Amino acid sequence: EVLEEDVEVAGRIVARLFASTSGTDSDWVVKLIDVYPEQYSDKPEMGGYQLMIADDVLRGKFRRGFIHPEPIEPGSVEEYTIDLRTRSHLFRKGHKIMVQVQSTWFPLVDRNPQKFVDIPNATADDYQTAEQRIYFTPEYPSHIELSVMGPEPDTDGAD
């Protein structure tokens, strides 16, 4: 929805995805985006522009740590925590807040074969099609955690 007032976020941003894949590995990419209004009178060329505020990727096999990668059980719903780091941003009135979730970010991140293998040594036969699902239910509440700042206190001295 279009924002009816400014929304300022500051601090750590974390995505918590509940997701499954039909493969034994998958990438999870999350982006927090400021979407400008379609008609942007200050700079018409910015109409509809999507400004990426925070982003990161987590390779599924590293969901429990980077030292001991683990295959994903196909079809099982797992929780993935993606740290989008610390940010401070003001989403202006009239803009929209967008969250994008995807399973590839090629060519920025090398292709994941969707199979638990050592990717640098993967062969053409290792690459397979997989289906990824993101869940948003009471049992599996995928969400973004962020801090929304309140209005500034009145400092003009008036009571």
Side-chain angles (χ1 to χ4, degrees), residues 18-22 28 77-78 80 131-135 142:
F18 289 87
S20 66
T21 180
S22 61
W28 302 102
V77 179
E78 300 255 359
Y80 298 90
E131 181 178 299
Q132 284 79 8
R133 292 184 178 189
I134 306 296
Y135 295 81
S142 294

Side-chain angles (χ1 to χ4, degrees), residues 128-153:
Q128 61 188 25
T129 300
E131 181 178 299
Q132 284 79 8
R133 292 184 178 189
I134 306 296
Y135 295 81
F136 183 67
T137 66
E139 184 179 5
Y140 301 118
S142 294
H143 62 280
I144 302 284
E145 295 174 357
L146 50 75
S147 295
V148 175
M149 307 305 292
E152 290 290 323

